[in-house]
Amino acid sequence: MALKQLLGPLLCRSLASQVRPPLAATSRVSAPRLRPSSPCRPAACARLYATKKAKAKAKGPAAKVNLNSALVEDIISLDEVKGEMTAVLSALKDDFTRNLSIRTSPGALDHIVVTTQDGKFPLNQLGQISMKSPQLIMVNMSSFPEATAAATRALKGSSMNLNPEVDGTIIKVPVPKVTREHRENLAKLAKQLSNKAKDSLRKVRSNAVALVKRAKEGHSEDTIRLVEKQIQQMSDSMAVDIDKQLAAKTKELLG
């Protein structure tokens, strides 16, 4: 009996330890891996794309070519090409002077071209031009009376808005009033003449480049490419001068 009383509490504690629920096992939770398809990416890994403006700025201005004409004269004469391009600009300036004068004066009629049976001549070579009054110009054709009709047609056909009257061998040219419409028409003509000059300039450049291409044999590709680039630069520079002449003339015409 005493032994039973002694073993009782010990037996109860043993049974209790056997029925006690086991401790929950601790599970390890690993961080989910970042998948390539995940929409969220670290900012540091984002790729930066350069804009076109940034790329152009990084490139900087294109290097200019400045070839020595003597070194490539066996390919083409750059001086002759430049001369032809300069002649285009000079012709444009002459056209502006002959055809785009606001104020009619004796000098403004000098370069009007008269077509006769013997050829084409400036008006001042056929007749004596003088200013009778601020409103009237006189052209005396007594030296070449047979060219009076042709000179009258040339005056009417000019862009100066002239309405000449014939009195024997004397051509009377009233000075027209300068109107806004007349100024605008002259500005349009200036634009047409400058576009024509640019067409002539492109023709000079194309002919020069074609000549260079025919000289490829015996020269490196780099040399040919540099010569072509030099010609293009010359053409671009002359085109800028044409635009400047147009801008100045347009400002003069429109006021």
Side-chain angles (χ1 to χ4, degrees):
M1 185 66 181
L3 181 60
K4 185 178 180 180
Q5 291 178 348
L6 180 60
L7 294 175
L10 295 175
L11 182 60
C12 291
R13 283 196 295 271
S14 176
L15 291 173
S17 62
Q18 292 180 15
V19 299
R20 184 180 297 168
L23 294 175
T26 303
S27 62
R28 295 183 180 179
V29 180
S30 59
R33 294 183 179 179
L34 185 63
R35 297 182 179 179
S37 60
S38 174
C40 299
R41 299 184 178 181
C45 297
R47 183 177 179 181
L48 299 178
Y49 293 89
T51 62
K52 291 183 178 179
K53 186 175 181 180
K55 290 180 178 178
K57 186 175 181 181
K59 287 184 178 180
K64 289 188 176 182
V65 178
N66 188 16
L67 296 176
N68 188 329
S69 300
L71 297 178
V72 295
E73 61 182 2
D74 57 332
I75 299 176
I76 192 172
S77 174
L78 293 177
D79 291 336
E80 289 184 5
V81 175
K82 184 177 181 179
E84 292 179 12
M85 291 183 177
T86 302
V88 171
L89 181 62
S90 298
L92 176 64
K93 292 179 180 179
D94 289 342
D95 284 341
F96 281 177
T97 301
R98 288 195 304 266
N99 303 311
L100 303 178
S101 177
I102 295 177
R103 301 183 184 280
T104 305
S105 63
L109 304 182
D110 286 349
H111 301 290
I112 288 181
V113 178
V114 181
T115 302
T116 69
Q117 293 181 348
D118 297 325
K120 296 182 178 181
F121 303 92
L123 180 60
N124 63 350
Q125 291 185 11
L126 301 176
Q128 183 180 356
I129 306 172
S130 62
M131 199 84 178
K132 184 69 174 179
S133 71
Q135 291 78 35
L136 183 64
I137 297 176
M138 307 287 283
V139 183
N140 189 338
M141 299 292 296
S142 57
S143 298
F144 297 93
E146 68 278 8
T148 301
T152 303
R153 288 194 298 271
L155 288 166
K156 286 183 178 179
S158 71
S159 61
M160 300 175 67
N161 195 29
L162 302 176
N163 189 24
E165 301 173 1
V166 181
D167 184 8
T169 58
I170 301 296
I171 303 176
K172 299 178 180 179
V173 185
V175 177
K177 183 180 179 181
V178 180
T179 63
R180 185 66 185 179
E181 181 181 3
H182 181 52
R183 288 175 179 268
E184 291 175 351
N185 288 336
L186 290 179
K188 291 178 182 179
L189 180 57
K191 179 66 174 177
Q192 294 173 6
L193 292 175
S194 65
N195 287 339
K196 183 179 178 182
K198 285 186 176 181
D199 289 340
S200 299
L201 181 63
R202 282 190 286 268
K203 185 176 180 180
V204 172
R205 182 203 61 200
S206 298
N207 290 341
V209 171
L211 185 60
V212 171
K213 289 184 180 298
R214 289 198 293 269
K216 280 187 175 181
E217 293 184 5
H219 300 89
S220 68
E221 293 184 1
D222 289 342
T223 300
I224 296 299
R225 186 162 49 250
L226 287 174
V227 175
E228 291 178 353
K229 189 173 182 180
Q230 177 79 65
I231 294 172
Q232 182 64 53
Q233 285 180 186
M234 293 163 60
S235 177
D236 292 343
S237 177
M238 198 61 63
V240 170
D241 289 340
I242 290 175
D243 288 338
K244 288 180 179 178
Q245 289 293 322
L246 174 61
K249 196 63 181 181
T250 301
K251 183 178 180 180
E252 174 191 332
L253 293 172
L254 298 180

